[in-house]
Amino acid sequence: MSSEREVSKMFIRYIQDGLRNERIDRYRASRRLINTTPLEDWLLEEIREPYHLQDFTLTLEEIAELENFVDDERLSKAVATLSTADKMVLYQYYYDELNDVEIGSQVGITSQGANKRRRRALQRIKAAYENM
């Protein structure tokens, strides 16, 4: 039983790392496109708007195809089995780093509903991944 729990934790951590790395890659790519500004201007911009990574969030259409952002082909196929609502909750939890209360208020469900949807989505990914 404990080895199954450890595998689940490792799997969840893999998904978290993948989404976090995607966010970092998008941010770095956008920084290459921006003209270099003096350090003072950049610092002032950071002070005014410290959450600059929010500019690089996925659209609803991109979230519906979340599997396209997963590098591992087998995991990508497992994520593709989820509904758009499940993908949205996973994206908001792992990428936007929102808690269940915040997710619930945005999606229009209770925090317990958001938590249950997230856990079930992870179980579905795990089952689909193991059956491939």
Side-chain angles (χ1 to χ4, degrees):
M1 182 70 176
S2 66
S3 67
E4 182 179 329
R5 187 171 286 195
E6 290 171 11
V7 170
S8 294
K9 286 181 182 179
M10 289 172 35
F11 182 72
I12 290 169
R13 186 65 186 162
Y14 178 80
I15 291 173
Q16 288 173 332
D17 289 344
L19 290 172
R20 189 173 297 114
N21 289 339
E22 180 65 29
R23 176 174 54 185
I24 291 168
D25 289 346
R26 282 177 172 249
Y27 173 70
R28 286 181 180 161
S30 73
R31 293 301 295 174
R32 283 186 223 116
L33 298 174
I34 298 173
N35 293 334
T36 306
T37 58
L39 182 62
E40 296 82 17
D41 293 341
W42 183 82
L43 285 175
L44 290 173
E45 182 182 334
E46 282 295 309
I47 292 169
R48 269 187 262 121
E49 185 61 43
Y51 300 105
H52 56 277
L53 290 179
Q54 291 177 347
D55 296 338
F56 308 104
T57 56
L58 297 178
T59 64
L60 288 175
E61 293 81 22
E62 290 173 325
I63 292 172
E65 297 175 3
L66 191 61
E67 60 274 7
N68 295 338
F69 298 97
V70 179
D71 291 334
D72 184 270
E73 184 178 334
R74 192 171 162 199
L75 181 58
S76 176
K77 289 179 182 178
V79 171
T81 63
L82 297 176
S83 68
T84 302
D86 289 344
K87 292 176 187 178
M88 175 65 81
V89 170
L90 289 176
Y91 174 80
Q92 289 178 330
Y93 187 81
Y94 293 110
Y95 185 83
D96 289 339
E97 298 177 351
L98 300 178
N99 62 34
D100 292 333
V101 174
E102 294 167 329
I103 294 170
S105 67
Q106 286 189 1
V107 178
I109 57 177
T110 65
S111 62
Q112 293 87 356
N115 183 291
K116 187 179 282 188
R117 181 177 289 276
R118 180 174 42 84
R119 286 186 291 121
R120 284 185 181 167
L122 290 173
Q123 289 173 352
R124 288 182 186 123
I125 291 173
K126 181 181 174 187
Y129 188 84
E130 291 173 347
N131 291 332
M132 289 184 193

